[in-house]
Amino acid sequence: MPSIISANLRITGNLESEGDIQIDGVVEGDIRSSSLTVSDSATVRGAIEADTVAIAGSVTGQIKAKTVTLQRTARVIADIVQESLSIEPGAYFEGNLRRIAQEAPRKLEQPKLEQPQPGKSLSGPTGGTSESVRPALTNGAAPNGAAPNGLGTEDKTGPGQLRV
């Protein structure tokens, strides 16, 4: 049997219960319970933490729960952290969603960059090809009439291509 905050009751303060809470009135404060139901006539302004949350009324704050259901009459302005979320057509939601990880997050593999080798062509992100990579010239001369420091007036590479 849930604890019920009736429609004509306004509570300013935090609520905490090991059982279920049903709110039909107004609560201005944080709520922590096993299960929470916010009826269509109810208003909650504060953080909610529960295993299961069903909202048909108005909630402003933060919601953290394993399972969250926003019913068609819900008006929620909150950040929601959840494992499972259901939003019925007609419900209003504004905020951010974040999923509680059920398993450790996987590491993303870093792409392996191909190392330039003499005589091998590289292609840039656009998929085009560039000139062959040439070994450094030992006599101080540079190809294409470029200055020995590599800062020439001609650049034969296209967009997204590597000049070596």
Side-chain angles (χ1 to χ4, degrees):
M1 175 144 268
S3 299
I4 299 174
I5 307 300
S6 68
N8 59 357
L9 186 59
R10 174 188 217 82
I11 294 181
T12 302
N14 298 336
L15 301 177
E16 189 168 336
S17 173
E18 291 180 15
D20 302 342
I21 298 175
Q22 177 179 326
I23 299 175
D24 296 332
V26 176
V27 175
E28 293 185 19
D30 298 342
I31 302 171
R32 175 177 279 166
S33 70
S34 173
S35 176
L36 176 68
T37 302
V38 179
S39 72
D40 60 351
S41 63
T43 300
V44 175
R45 287 184 212 86
I48 295 172
E49 187 171 340
D51 289 332
T52 304
V53 176
I55 300 171
S58 175
V59 173
T60 303
Q62 180 182 21
I63 301 168
K64 183 175 182 180
K66 289 182 181 176
T67 303
V68 178
T69 302
L70 303 184
Q71 297 172 0
R72 66 179 181 80
T73 57
R75 178 168 166 65
V76 177
I77 301 173
D79 292 340
I80 300 177
V81 180
Q82 43 68 38
E83 284 182 13
S84 172
L85 174 66
S86 172
I87 302 176
E88 293 180 1
Y92 176 85
F93 169 71
E94 181 180 330
N96 295 305
L97 295 174
R98 192 171 46 145
R99 185 169 166 79
I100 297 173
Q102 293 177 325
E103 59 184 53
R106 295 178 282 158
K107 285 188 176 181
L108 296 176
E109 289 186 29
Q110 295 295 324
K112 295 181 181 178
L113 298 177
E114 186 177 338
Q115 297 298 320
Q117 297 176 3
K120 186 172 182 183
S121 293
L122 297 177
S123 58
T126 59
T129 58
S130 68
E131 296 181 59
S132 295
V133 176
R134 294 181 212 101
L137 301 174
T138 56
N139 64 2
N144 303 330
N149 63 3
L151 301 175
T153 56
E154 287 186 46
D155 186 3
K156 302 271 183 179
T157 58
Q161 295 177 331
L162 173 67
R163 180 175 181 199
V164 180

